[in-house]
Amino acid sequence: YTYDGDSNLCSNSKNIMFFAWSFKLFFAILTDCYYPLGYRRKAWMCIGWCGVLVLLGLLTLFADQLSVSAWLSMLMLTQGFLMISDVPADGYCVALGKLERPEHRGQILATGQMVRFSFCMFAGLIQTVLLNGPSTNASDCQISPGECWLWGLNVNDYYGLLFVLVFVITLPVWWLKDDPIEHGSRSPHSLKHFITEIWDILQNLTTFYLMVFVV
């Protein structure tokens, strides 16, 4: 309703928006082949979240002036920057999990998934409660508790709220401990290393069939 896009484009908007997630493996290879400023994970996480914040800031200012194609392109870029942060964060969790005692192994990963699930619920609540006003519904929508409400955020306000929330939850990333890589130790992996590892994995038929199923 906000962008008045073509039906086909809008119905496929979610697939377009999350297109970057299909290339998560390639993001993983990229972030483990290069260590910006000598940091293995923290630098990539900061770069990713800063990119998200810049794009959310632009959407806060100009979202109501964009075409549906430009809007979806910005959301796709936002997810791309999110992947740059998300992939090293997954590796960070795995590295921390290796420090757990055997009887508590898996608690960090399980807690991370619960936090992720909780924030997904919170995001859904924001969209359900705060985006049901006149500006985000059809122009002929009837004002009633079951349909359109008298109040609600417009699209710029919505991205402004997201900018504030993302800024707050990104701050702790800057204090994460990720020791600088000393010269001669823990050098970045090469592309050849990943190709070899992937080839070894593909020779396991179970893993290969799972990958075919996912694709």
Side-chain angles (χ1 to χ4, degrees):
Y1 300 123
T2 301
Y3 295 102
D4 194 27
D6 295 333
S7 298
N8 184 55
L9 186 59
C10 291
S11 63
N12 285 290
S13 60
K14 187 173 183 180
N15 294 328
I16 297 170
M17 207 183 310
F18 293 104
F19 189 66
W21 288 72
S22 302
F23 298 93
K24 196 168 184 178
L25 175 64
F26 298 101
F27 281 101
I29 293 174
L30 171 67
T31 57
D32 219 20
C33 282
Y34 302 98
Y35 295 164
L37 303 176
Y39 288 91
R40 184 176 185 182
R41 297 189 175 99
K42 180 177 177 179
W44 284 115
M45 293 165 71
C46 292
I47 290 170
W49 282 117
C50 285
V52 170
L53 284 169
V54 168
L55 289 166
L56 286 177
L58 292 173
L59 285 167
T60 301
L61 297 173
F62 306 113
D64 58 344
Q65 303 172 33
L66 299 175
S67 66
V68 64
S69 298
W71 169 66
L72 284 174
S73 297
M74 290 194 69
L75 292 186
M76 187 168 62
L77 281 173
T78 301
Q79 292 296 323
F81 276 109
L82 182 59
M83 282 294 94
I84 290 175
S85 179
D86 185 76
V87 170
D90 286 343
Y92 197 95
C93 287
V94 171
L96 291 178
K98 292 179 179 179
L99 303 177
E100 294 178 292
R101 295 195 301 272
E103 63 270 21
H104 297 295
R105 187 67 52 85
Q107 287 296 314
I108 290 176
L109 288 174
T111 302
Q113 290 302 315
M114 285 191 290
V115 171
R116 184 192 296 261
F117 178 71
S118 299
F119 271 91
C120 287
M121 291 179 59
F122 180 56
L125 190 63
I126 289 175
Q127 294 178 357
T128 302
V129 176
L130 301 182
L131 288 177
N132 198 36
S135 67
T136 51
N137 276 292
S139 56
D140 59 348
C141 187
Q142 299 297 315
I143 302 298
S144 68
E147 294 192 38
C148 302
W149 299 347
L150 278 171
W151 56 275
L153 301 178
N154 61 36
V155 65
N156 294 64
D157 296 335
Y158 170 66
Y159 287 115
L161 175 61
L162 292 186
F163 177 89
V164 172
L165 292 175
V166 171
F167 178 77
V168 170
I169 64 176
T170 299
L171 288 177
V173 176
W174 295 90
W175 281 274
L176 283 177
K177 291 185 177 180
D178 189 3
D179 295 333
I181 297 169
E182 299 176 0
H183 182 69
S185 66
R186 286 204 304 160
S187 58
H189 292 116
S190 65
L191 182 59
K192 180 181 178 181
H193 166 82
F194 283 105
I195 293 174
T196 303
E197 291 286 318
I198 292 171
W199 174 244
D200 289 341
I201 292 171
L202 286 176
Q203 293 180 72
N204 181 308
L205 282 179
T206 302
T207 306
F208 177 73
Y209 293 148
L210 283 172
M211 291 182 68
V212 170
F213 169 75
V214 170
V215 172

